[in-house]
Amino acid sequence: MTTDYFPVAGCSGVASDDAASYDRRWMVVDPQGVWMSPVQQPDLGKINVQLRFGYLVLRAPGMLRLDIPLDVIEDDDSVRTKATLGAQTLDVVDEGEMAAVWFSTYLKQPCRLMKLHPDQKPVTWPG
């Protein structure tokens, strides 16, 4: 039986074992760098997530598709920053302006897409 995995925490799941290594690798944060949960932002759950041809493919009602490369070597420290999940401070990489505009437009509030840095220790997600 296939389990659902959630590459972008709070968005729709992917029912494929290929997604296991990408489970909760990305998160959407507010301008203060705090994770936006689907409880705070229910529209996150309407974002369809797929893994296709080396890309995280995101679709949402009324939006053009957004493709984010899955496996990028994280060697540019200029996009490395911190995010907050509960009491945890996480080492993350900002996915850039295009992703930020896409999520901010869809969710109707400023936010950014962050990817957990490969050096980040395991994260304890709520629920």
Side-chain angles (χ1 to χ4, degrees):
M1 184 160 107
T2 304
T3 302
D4 275 358
Y5 297 99
F6 301 88
V8 181
C11 294
S12 73
V14 176
S16 169
D17 290 336
D18 295 339
S21 62
Y22 299 103
D23 191 42
R24 297 181 192 171
R25 185 178 288 185
W26 287 269
M27 61 193 294
V28 180
V29 299
D30 67 16
Q32 289 73 43
V34 177
W35 176 55
M36 295 170 58
S37 77
V39 171
Q40 301 160 308
Q41 186 48 267
D43 286 339
L44 278 169
K46 297 177 187 172
I47 297 173
N48 178 273
V49 179
Q50 295 177 311
L51 303 180
R52 296 184 48 121
F53 306 112
Y55 287 88
L56 176 72
V57 178
L58 304 168
R59 290 183 173 92
M63 300 292 294
L64 294 174
R65 184 180 86 195
L66 177 65
D67 294 2
I68 304 286
L70 288 174
D71 297 309
V72 175
I73 297 172
E74 308 298 351
D75 61 354
D76 181 359
D77 283 342
S78 72
V79 294
R80 198 168 174 179
T81 188
K82 300 292 181 192
T84 305
L85 173 66
Q88 301 169 87
T89 299
L90 308 178
D91 187 8
V92 295
V93 176
D94 190 318
E95 287 288 8
E97 289 304 314
M98 186 179 295
V101 168
W102 192 91
F103 275 93
S104 296
T105 300
Y106 179 65
L107 297 174
K108 298 178 179 63
Q109 68 181 89
C111 55
R112 300 192 73 82
L113 180 64
M114 301 291 177
K115 178 180 179 182
L116 293 176
H117 192 276
D119 294 341
Q120 172 60 49
K121 295 190 177 14
V123 175
T124 304
W125 291 90

Coordinates of all heavy atoms in Angstrom, one line a residue, residues 1-45:
M1 N 0.8 -1.2 0.0 CA 0.0 0.0 0.0 C 0.9 1.2 0.0 O 1.8 1.3 0.8 CB -0.9 0.0 1.2 CG -1.9 1.1 1.3 SD -3.2 0.8 2.4 CE -2.9 1.9 3.7
T2 N 0.6 2.2 -0.9 CA 1.4 3.4 -1.0 C 0.9 4.4 0.1 O -0.3 4.6 0.3 CB 1.2 4.0 -2.4 OG1 1.6 3.0 -3.3 CG2 2.1 5.2 -2.6
T3 N 1.9 5.1 0.6 CA 1.6 6.1 1.6 C 1.7 7.5 0.9 O 2.4 7.7 -0.1 CB 2.7 6.1 2.7 OG1 2.8 4.8 3.3 CG2 2.5 7.2 3.7
D4 N 0.9 8.5 1.4 CA 1.0 9.8 0.9 C 2.2 10.5 1.6 O 2.4 10.4 2.8 CB -0.3 10.6 1.2 CG -1.4 10.4 0.2 OD1 -1.1 9.7 -0.8 OD2 -2.4 11.0 0.3
Y5 N 2.9 11.2 0.7 CA 4.0 12.0 1.2 C 3.7 13.5 0.9 O 3.0 13.7 -0.1 CB 5.4 11.6 0.6 CG 5.7 10.2 1.0 CD1 5.5 9.1 0.1 CD2 6.3 9.9 2.2 CE1 5.8 7.8 0.5 CE2 6.6 8.6 2.6 CZ 6.3 7.6 1.7 OH 6.6 6.3 2.1
F6 N 4.3 14.4 1.6 CA 4.0 15.8 1.5 C 5.2 16.6 1.3 O 5.8 17.2 2.2 CB 3.2 16.3 2.7 CG 1.9 15.5 3.0 CD1 1.9 14.3 3.7 CD2 0.8 16.0 2.4 CE1 0.8 13.6 3.9 CE2 -0.4 15.2 2.6 CZ -0.4 14.1 3.3
P7 N 5.7 16.7 0.0 CA 6.9 17.4 -0.3 C 6.9 18.9 0.2 O 7.9 19.3 0.8 CB 7.1 17.4 -1.8 CG 6.3 16.1 -2.2 CD 5.2 16.0 -1.2
V8 N 5.8 19.5 0.1 CA 5.6 20.9 0.6 C 4.7 20.8 1.8 O 3.5 20.5 1.7 CB 5.0 21.9 -0.4 CG1 4.9 23.3 0.2 CG2 5.8 21.9 -1.7
A9 N 5.2 21.0 3.0 CA 4.4 20.8 4.2 C 3.2 21.6 4.2 O 3.3 22.9 4.0 CB 5.3 21.1 5.4
G10 N 2.0 21.0 4.3 CA 0.8 21.7 4.4 C 0.0 21.7 3.0 O -1.2 22.0 3.0
C11 N 0.7 21.3 2.0 CA 0.1 21.2 0.6 C -0.4 19.8 0.4 O -0.2 18.9 1.3 CB 1.0 21.7 -0.5 SG 1.5 23.4 -0.4
S12 N -1.0 19.5 -0.7 CA -1.6 18.2 -1.0 C -0.4 17.2 -1.0 O 0.7 17.5 -1.2 CB -2.3 18.2 -2.3 OG -1.4 18.3 -3.4
G13 N -0.8 15.9 -0.8 CA 0.1 14.8 -0.8 C 0.4 14.2 -2.1 O -0.4 14.4 -3.1
V14 N 1.4 13.4 -2.2 CA 1.8 12.7 -3.4 C 1.8 11.2 -3.0 O 2.5 10.8 -2.1 CB 3.2 13.0 -3.9 CG1 3.6 12.2 -5.0 CG2 3.3 14.5 -4.2
A15 N 0.9 10.4 -3.7 CA 0.8 9.0 -3.4 C 1.8 8.2 -4.2 O 1.4 7.5 -5.2 CB -0.6 8.5 -3.6
S16 N 3.1 8.3 -3.9 CA 4.1 7.6 -4.6 C 5.3 7.4 -3.7 O 5.7 8.3 -3.1 CB 4.5 8.4 -5.9 OG 5.7 7.9 -6.4
D17 N 5.8 6.2 -3.7 CA 7.0 5.9 -2.9 C 8.2 6.7 -3.3 O 9.1 6.9 -2.6 CB 7.3 4.4 -2.9 CG 6.2 3.6 -2.1 OD1 5.5 4.2 -1.2 OD2 6.1 2.4 -2.4
D18 N 8.2 7.2 -4.6 CA 9.3 8.0 -5.1 C 9.3 9.4 -4.3 O 10.4 10.0 -4.3 CB 9.1 8.4 -6.6 CG 9.2 7.1 -7.5 OD1 9.8 6.1 -7.0 OD2 8.7 7.2 -8.6
A19 N 8.3 9.7 -3.7 CA 8.2 11.0 -3.0 C 8.7 10.9 -1.5 O 8.9 11.9 -0.9 CB 6.8 11.6 -3.0
A20 N 9.0 9.7 -1.1 CA 9.4 9.5 0.3 C 10.6 10.4 0.7 O 10.7 11.0 1.8 CB 9.7 8.0 0.6
S21 N 11.6 10.4 -0.2 CA 12.8 11.2 0.2 C 12.6 12.7 0.1 O 13.5 13.5 0.5 CB 14.0 10.8 -0.7 OG 13.7 11.1 -2.1
Y22 N 11.5 13.1 -0.4 CA 11.2 14.5 -0.5 C 10.1 15.0 0.5 O 9.7 16.1 0.5 CB 10.7 14.9 -1.9 CG 11.8 14.6 -2.9 CD1 11.7 13.5 -3.7 CD2 12.9 15.5 -3.1 CE1 12.6 13.2 -4.7 CE2 13.9 15.2 -4.0 CZ 13.7 14.1 -4.8 OH 14.7 13.8 -5.7
D23 N 9.7 14.1 1.4 CA 8.6 14.4 2.3 C 9.0 15.5 3.2 O 10.0 15.5 3.9 CB 8.3 13.1 3.2 CG 7.0 13.3 4.0 OD1 6.1 13.8 3.5 OD2 7.0 12.9 5.2
R24 N 8.2 16.6 3.2 CA 8.3 17.8 4.0 C 9.7 18.4 3.8 O 10.3 18.9 4.8 CB 8.0 17.5 5.5 CG 6.6 17.1 5.6 CD 6.3 16.8 7.1 NE 5.0 16.2 7.2 CZ 4.5 15.7 8.3 NH1 5.2 15.8 9.4 NH2 3.3 15.1 8.3
R25 N 10.2 18.4 2.6 CA 11.5 19.1 2.4 C 11.3 20.6 2.2 O 12.2 21.4 2.4 CB 12.2 18.5 1.1 CG 13.6 19.1 0.9 CD 14.3 18.5 -0.2 NE 14.7 17.2 0.0 CZ 15.5 16.5 -0.8 NH1 15.9 17.0 -1.9 NH2 15.9 15.3 -0.5
W26 N 10.1 21.0 1.7 CA 9.8 22.4 1.5 C 8.7 22.9 2.5 O 7.9 22.1 3.0 CB 9.3 22.7 0.1 CG 10.3 22.5 -1.0 CD1 11.1 23.5 -1.5 CD2 10.7 21.4 -1.7 NE1 12.0 23.0 -2.4 CE2 11.7 21.7 -2.6 CE3 10.3 20.0 -1.6 CZ2 12.3 20.8 -3.4 CZ3 10.9 19.1 -2.4 CH2 11.9 19.5 -3.3
M27 N 8.7 24.2 2.7 CA 7.7 24.8 3.6 C 7.5 26.2 3.1 O 8.4 26.9 2.6 CB 8.2 24.8 5.1 CG 9.5 25.5 5.3 SD 10.3 25.2 6.9 CE 9.1 25.9 8.1
V28 N 6.3 26.7 3.4 CA 5.9 28.1 3.1 C 6.0 28.9 4.4 O 5.5 28.4 5.4 CB 4.5 28.2 2.4 CG1 4.2 29.7 2.1 CG2 4.5 27.3 1.2
V29 N 6.7 30.0 4.3 CA 6.9 30.8 5.6 C 6.3 32.2 5.3 O 6.3 32.7 4.2 CB 8.3 30.9 6.0 CG1 8.9 29.5 6.3 CG2 9.2 31.6 5.0
D30 N 5.9 32.9 6.4 CA 5.5 34.3 6.4 C 6.7 35.2 6.3 O 7.8 34.7 6.4 CB 4.5 34.5 7.6 CG 5.2 34.5 8.9 OD1 6.4 34.6 9.0 OD2 4.5 34.4 9.9
P31 N 6.5 36.5 6.3 CA 7.6 37.4 6.2 C 8.6 37.4 7.4 O 9.8 37.7 7.3 CB 7.0 38.8 6.1 CG 5.6 38.5 5.5 CD 5.2 37.2 6.1
Q32 N 8.2 36.8 8.5 CA 9.0 36.7 9.7 C 9.8 35.3 9.7 O 10.5 35.0 10.6 CB 8.2 36.8 11.0 CG 7.8 38.2 11.3 CD 6.6 38.6 10.4 OE1 5.7 37.9 10.1 NE2 6.7 39.8 9.9
G33 N 9.5 34.5 8.6 CA 10.2 33.2 8.5 C 9.5 32.1 9.3 O 10.1 31.1 9.6
V34 N 8.3 32.3 9.7 CA 7.5 31.3 10.5 C 6.7 30.5 9.5 O 6.0 31.0 8.7 CB 6.6 32.0 11.5 CG1 5.8 31.0 12.3 CG2 7.5 32.8 12.5
W35 N 6.7 29.1 9.7 CA 6.0 28.2 8.9 C 4.5 28.5 8.9 O 3.9 28.7 10.0 CB 6.2 26.8 9.4 CG 5.4 25.8 8.6 CD1 5.3 25.6 7.3 CD2 4.5 24.8 9.2 NE1 4.5 24.6 6.9 CE2 3.9 24.1 8.1 CE3 4.1 24.5 10.5 CZ2 3.0 23.0 8.3 CZ3 3.1 23.5 10.6 CH2 2.6 22.8 9.6
M36 N 3.9 28.6 7.8 CA 2.5 28.8 7.6 C 1.8 27.4 7.5 O 2.0 26.7 6.5 CB 2.2 29.6 6.4 CG 2.7 31.0 6.5 SD 2.7 32.0 4.9 CE 1.0 32.0 4.6
S37 N 1.1 27.1 8.5 CA 0.4 25.8 8.5 C -0.9 25.8 7.8 O -1.5 26.9 7.6 CB 0.1 25.3 10.0 OG -1.0 26.0 10.5
P38 N -1.5 24.7 7.4 CA -2.8 24.7 6.7 C -3.9 25.1 7.6 O -5.0 25.5 7.2 CB -2.9 23.2 6.2 CG -1.9 22.4 7.0 CD -0.9 23.4 7.4
V39 N -3.7 25.1 8.9 CA -4.7 25.6 9.9 C -4.8 27.1 9.7 O -5.8 27.7 9.7 CB -4.3 25.2 11.3 CG1 -5.3 25.9 12.3 CG2 -4.4 23.7 11.5
Q40 N -3.6 27.8 9.6 CA -3.6 29.2 9.5 C -3.9 29.6 8.0 O -4.5 30.7 7.8 CB -2.1 29.8 9.7 CG -1.6 29.5 11.1 CD -0.1 29.6 11.1 OE1 0.6 29.0 10.3 NE2 0.4 30.4 12.1
Q41 N -3.6 28.8 7.1 CA -3.7 29.1 5.7 C -4.3 27.9 4.9 O -3.6 27.2 4.3 CB -2.4 29.6 5.1 CG -2.4 30.1 3.7 CD -3.5 31.1 3.4 OE1 -4.6 30.7 3.0 NE2 -3.2 32.3 3.6
P42 N -5.7 27.7 5.0 CA -6.3 26.5 4.5 C -6.1 26.4 3.0 O -6.1 25.3 2.4 CB -7.8 26.7 4.8 CG -7.8 27.7 5.9 CD -6.6 28.6 5.8
D43 N -5.8 27.5 2.2 CA -5.6 27.4 0.8 C -4.4 26.6 0.4 O -4.2 26.2 -0.7 CB -5.6 28.7 0.1 CG -7.0 29.3 0.0 OD1 -8.0 28.6 0.1 OD2 -7.2 30.6 -0.1
L44 N -3.4 26.4 1.4 CA -2.3 25.6 1.1 C -2.7 24.2 0.7 O -2.1 23.6 -0.2 CB -1.4 25.5 2.4 CG -0.4 26.6 2.7 CD1 0.2 26.5 4.1 CD2 0.7 26.7 1.6
G45 N -3.7 23.7 1.3 CA -4.2 22.3 1.0 C -4.7 22.2 -0.4 O -4.9 21.1 -0.9

